[in-house]
Amino acid sequence: MADFATSSIRTVALVGHGGAGKTSLAEALLAKAGAIPLAGSVEKGTTVSDFDPLEKQFQHSLHASIMHVDTPGARIHLIDTPGFPDFIGQAIGALDAVETAAVVVNAASGIEMITSRMMEWAADRHLCRIVIVNRIDAENVDLPGVLASIRAAFGNECLPINLPADGGRRVVDCFFNPSGTADFSSVAEAHQALVDQVIEVDEELMAKYLEQGESIEAEQLHAPFEKALREGHLVPVCFVSARTGAGVAELLEVLVKLAPNPTEGNPPMFTKGDGASAVEFRSVPDPAKHALAHVFKVVVDPFVGKLGVFRVHQGTVTKDTQLYVGESKKPFKVGHLLMLQGAKHVEIERAFPGDIAAVAKVDEVVFDCVLHDSHDEDRIHMVPLSFPTPMHGLAIAPKRRGDEQRLSEVLHKMCAEDPTLAVEHDATLNETVLRGLGELHLRSALERMASQFKLEVETRPPRIPYRETITGKAEGHHRHKKQTGGAGQFGEVFLRIEPLPRGAGFEFVDEVKGGTIPTQFLPAVQKGVEQVLATGPVAGFPLQDVRVIVYDGKSHAVDSKEVAFVSAGKKAFIDAISKARPIVLEPIVSLEVHCQADKMGDIAGDLASRRGQVTGTQTLAAGALAVIGSAPLAELEGYGSRLKAFTGGHGSYTMALARYEQAPPTVQQALAAEYEASEARGGLIRRVQELGARSPAAAGHRGVRPSA
């Protein structure tokens, strides 16, 4: 495979809402450049990027897929990303691998939720942005209206760099070409608007243009054009039809001639150091310097093993290069260096700054890690991306006994691939919960477990993560004294408890005076207190937002031991809690619901019926509305299906944990009754087991001869 210099490399992520045609557009670009003989079809499951069996089944992208296009002038690394909210984590992760975010808009649907989000996320990562209006051949499409809505939503810096012509059958360039005929607007006016916008970032060129009235050639505009892209002063708008091919060649030309190369884009957001002492680190896209790369995607395949996909930001990575992973002291050797073309892995000799490549079967490689070949680059990190919090959950367990360890391994592999999948294990409930961004996200994860990892699981709704706290101050005391003939056990603890603000957690304060509790036993007192935090007194949920102040106690020179003070601290805390008016707290989530403006009443009414409320609204483009509110998590089971029902499938929502609030009395009473019944059943089972263990029949069964 031919090498391309860094100045001839382009990296582009195709992002945008689901159904905008990103995968079809990638196919059209690959076919136009000769990378494939014929563009594949999403419906037939023949595209390069949607190669996963589940993607073919669902007929939309589930993962970010990496491809490349070689042209006479440049190599373009393309990343096709999912657009549905449930899989947006894959699109966000791809942003750190590219200079340019190409935001694809469906001309028939206009600006949708993920369109706006990806524009914001790309701007936050300081990426150059291009808007691509796809499906310009759709019936009854209002292209002038689409362009107007783009400029209204994203700013007047969004200017067409080409315009549709001949009823959308072709497009005409407006940057290199100062005149021509288009279906709407004027090519000459569009060209002039681009020139005016670009020269505003170059004072010398603007002065020359204004004072001397000299015409500006397109070649003179290249450097200020790149600067305008970097600063967000210009967001070019391209028109295309992936289905008919209209505008595909022109888009390819825009990417080759005008999209920034790694030396022209904004530098990646690296820092060196940890915490507050971290400082900005600027990598240099020079192939002769130390190698520095960032892993933005991990794939765990049962047959291939772990595949770490990375973007080279500095230096050159070759076969047999020794690379360190993060702060690791032991390097690994690059045995096979791969360039990806969908499912195909093409072996290459070297990767330069700007290249996207992969290494296989290196267990140390994880998502978001930095690879480097010198300890000079130790403690370098990419500024973390902000991913949506996975709030949708399913409690899962293996169908077959003995598969518990295998389930744990499969979940670990899947979470390593997807930063928006999370696993929680509640030791108290002995419950494993898989969390994701939505019902479809979780369903695809379960289907992948079954099809790819051959693991069958049972699922059910997870228990709501209630918490408990106290509402008043109280004191507690306990003396632990035990004498068994030899050395005894003695410890006495006096403590006070008081509530803390919501979200403050737990505080342990030592106010013991005069050594009444020796210093070496205070950790034991804290250990006993913390044992109680796991199971609250009202309904058995973890206790939080409590300050415990140990102020007095007694000890014995011989009999005081750690175990005595653990027990004394635990029972003194229990004594205090019973007097401090304990309550149950329920989780409240913040919601952002995107829907048609005329569905606002339905959204508000439904939230009110779920003990929620609307706190604000935000007008979006194309008659859409963002409804902002909050509701108890316990009331939102099945909310996604309900929302789809009364928005005709157009509604979507995100949620994040906001705070904990006191649960209503009826909820507290029901939870307390359930807990008491559970404890009673548990006590009965234990008593039956004890009686069975003591019975003559059981003794005989164990091979012990019953006494006469």
Side-chain angles (χ1 to χ4, degrees):
M1 179 176 287
D3 291 332
F4 282 79
T6 297
S7 60
S8 298
I9 293 175
R10 312 287 185 268
T11 54
V12 181
L14 298 175
V15 299
H17 201 86
K22 300 181 294 297
T23 300
S24 298
L25 180 58
E27 286 293 305
L29 289 169
L30 289 170
K32 180 59 69 174
I36 55 176
L38 191 67
S41 163
V42 172
E43 292 76 15
K44 295 178 181 178
T46 56
T47 63
V48 172
S49 57
D50 284 0
F51 57 85
D52 185 275
L54 288 178
E55 290 177 316
K56 295 179 181 181
Q57 176 185 332
F58 293 160
Q59 294 191 0
H60 62 73
S61 302
L62 304 178
H63 311 282
S65 183
I66 293 86
M67 300 157 285
H68 61 273
V69 171
D70 289 351
T71 71
R75 166 173 289 162
I76 304 171
H77 290 281
L78 281 175
I79 306 180
D80 177 28
T81 68
F84 286 92
D86 286 24
F87 306 100
I88 201 62
Q90 292 282 317
I92 297 172
L95 296 179
D96 279 344
V98 300
E99 267 77 45
T100 304
V103 184
V104 183
V105 177
N106 185 340
S109 306
I111 298 170
E112 298 174 271
M113 179 182 70
I114 297 302
T115 312
S116 301
R117 292 292 183 85
M118 292 312 304
M119 283 291 282
E120 293 170 6
W121 278 317
D124 288 343
R125 300 308 277 188
H126 304 158
L127 298 182
C128 302
R129 292 167 294 166
I130 295 175
V131 175
I132 301 174
V133 180
N134 188 24
R135 297 184 174 169
I136 61 173
D137 59 316
E139 292 184 8
N140 303 318
V141 67
D142 178 14
L143 294 179
V146 172
L147 179 59
S149 67
I150 290 171
R151 302 194 70 196
F154 306 131
N156 290 329
E157 59 269 22
C158 298
L159 295 172
I161 202 166
N162 57 41
L163 287 168
D166 294 343
R169 288 187 290 274
R170 66 182 183 91
V171 302
V172 56
D173 170 66
C174 301
F175 183 72
F176 298 103
N177 179 28
S179 61
T181 304
D183 288 343
F184 66 92
S185 187
S186 161
V187 173
E189 289 178 4
H191 174 78
Q192 191 61 52
L194 285 167
V195 172
D196 292 345
Q197 190 77 2
V198 167
I199 63 173
E200 284 181 0
V201 301
D202 189 322
E203 293 183 3
E204 184 179 337
L205 188 62
M206 184 167 63
K208 182 179 179 181
Y209 177 67
L210 294 176
E211 294 174 10
Q212 301 177 18
E214 296 184 14
S215 61
I216 304 294
E217 298 296 328
E219 290 71 19
Q220 294 175 273
L221 291 173
H222 184 84
F225 186 95
E226 301 301 335
K227 184 179 180 182
L229 286 179
R230 285 194 300 272
E231 296 178 355
H233 190 68
L234 173 65
V235 179
V237 180
C238 304
F239 290 87
V240 69
S241 170
R243 187 181 69 85
T244 66
V248 173
E250 289 78 2
L251 175 59
L252 205 56
E253 184 179 19
V254 166
L255 296 178
V256 171
K257 293 184 177 180
L258 298 176
N261 65 50
T263 68
E264 296 170 327
N266 286 317
M269 299 173 67
F270 284 119
T271 61
K272 187 165 188 175
D274 300 297
S277 63
V279 296
E280 180 184 355
F281 176 85
R282 180 162 292 200
S283 59
V284 181
D286 182 345
K289 289 191 172 289
H290 289 312
L292 184 67
H294 174 248
V295 176
F296 67 94
K297 180 177 173 64
V298 170
V299 181
V300 182
D301 188 280
F303 306 105
V304 179
K306 179 183 279 190
L307 192 71
V309 187
F310 60 87
R311 155 73 188 265
V312 181
H313 291 282
Q314 177 179 291
T316 303
V317 177
T318 63
K319 290 172 68 174
D320 300 330
T321 297
Q322 300 277 344
L323 292 177
Y324 297 94
V325 181
E327 280 73 61
S328 173
K329 301 303 179 185
K330 183 180 179 181
F332 71 89
K333 182 179 179 181
V334 178
H336 298 279
L337 189 62
L338 308 171
M339 191 168 286
L340 307 183
Q341 189 75 305
K344 294 181 180 178
H345 302 163
V346 182
E347 196 152 350
I348 58 175
E349 293 295 323
R350 62 191 65 82
F352 295 113
D355 273 329
I356 293 175
V359 290
K361 299 180 180 178
V362 181
D363 291 337
E364 297 82 5
V365 171
V366 295
F367 173 78
D368 203 33
C369 72
V370 170
L371 308 179
H372 55 97
D373 64 356
S374 166
H375 287 301
D376 291 346
E377 279 70 46
D378 280 350
R379 298 173 64 224
I380 291 177
H381 312 280
M382 188 72 79
V383 173
L385 288 158
S386 178
F387 290 98
T389 304
M391 293 295 296
H392 297 259
L394 279 176
I396 62 174
K399 282 187 177 181
R400 291 181 300 184
R401 292 185 62 183
D403 274 353
E404 289 80 8
Q405 180 61 33
R406 187 154 174 264
L407 173 62
S408 176
E409 292 171 357
V410 169
L411 290 174
H412 177 75
K413 290 177 180 179
M414 295 179 69
C415 291
E417 291 185 337
D418 189 343
T420 55
L421 274 178
V423 176
E424 301 170 359
H425 182 72
D426 191 319
T428 306
L429 304 173
N430 193 27
E431 180 179 77
T432 298
V433 178
L434 178 64
R435 295 199 179 275
L437 298 182
E439 296 169 9
L440 185 59
H441 192 199
L442 293 176
R443 182 159 66 91
S444 69
L446 295 175
E447 291 196 17
R448 188 173 171 220
M449 279 188 201
S451 62
Q452 187 169 328
F453 294 100
K454 310 302 180 187
L455 180 64
E456 297 291 335
V457 296
E458 296 174 338
T459 65
R460 58 178 175 77
R463 292 192 65 180
I464 301 298
Y466 292 103
R467 297 291 184 264
E468 296 185 25
T469 191
I470 57 173
T471 57
K473 298 180 180 181
E475 295 197 356
H477 161 251
H478 184 76
R479 172 184 286 187
H480 178 83
K481 186 176 181 180
K482 187 175 182 182
Q483 198 71 35
T484 57
Q489 297 179 10
F490 181 84
E492 188 169 5
V493 172
F494 293 85
L495 54 77
R496 292 190 299 270
I497 64 173
E498 56 189 44
L500 290 174
R502 294 284 181 267
F506 165 70
E507 288 183 16
F508 183 84
V509 181
D510 169 20
E511 290 188 0
V512 176
K513 301 291 191 295
T516 54
I517 298 179
T519 304
Q520 68 266 28
F521 292 128
L522 282 170
V525 177
Q526 182 173 350
K527 182 179 179 182
V529 167
E530 290 177 347
Q531 287 178 357
V532 181
L533 294 176
T535 308
V538 180
F541 294 103
L543 199 66
Q544 66 180 32
D545 305 336
V546 179
R547 177 184 287 124
V548 176
I549 305 164
V550 179
Y551 65 89
D552 201 1
K554 290 181 181 178
S555 63
H556 189 276
V558 177
D559 291 347
S560 285
K561 297 177 176 63
E562 181 178 326
V563 65
F565 278 99
V566 169
S567 179
K570 178 178 180 179
K571 292 180 180 177
F573 188 29
I574 292 172
D575 178 41
I577 291 172
S578 64
K579 308 168 189 173
R581 302 191 302 276
I583 60 169
V584 175
L585 301 173
E586 66 176 352
I588 306 297
V589 296
S590 59
L591 283 166
E592 184 172 324
V593 183
H594 287 228
C595 62
Q596 306 97 312
D598 60 353
K599 300 297 181 182
M600 166 67 188
D602 294 330
I603 300 290
D606 186 67
L607 275 181
S609 72
R610 297 170 183 267
R611 295 194 286 119
Q613 60 179 343
V614 173
T615 57
T617 60
Q618 181 182 349
T619 302
L620 304 176
L625 195 69
V627 180
I628 301 163
S630 61
L633 179 61
E635 300 291 336
L636 294 177
E637 184 178 344
Y639 183 67
S641 301
R642 173 71 176 156
L643 180 64
K644 288 177 182 177
F646 57 68
T647 61
H650 294 290
S652 58
Y653 75 106
T654 57
M655 65 179 180
L657 180 63
R659 62 192 181 277
Y660 274 88
E661 290 183 357
Q662 182 172 343
T666 53
V667 173
Q668 297 201 51
Q669 291 164 9
L671 292 171
E674 181 183 340
Y675 180 60
E676 289 175 7
S678 174
E679 288 293 287
R681 287 194 300 271
L684 179 61
I685 291 170
R686 285 191 295 272
R687 286 195 296 274
V688 169
Q689 290 173 339
E690 289 171 1
L691 289 171
R694 296 172 187 168
S695 69
H701 179 71
R702 292 195 303 268
V704 178
R705 190 177 188 180
S707 58

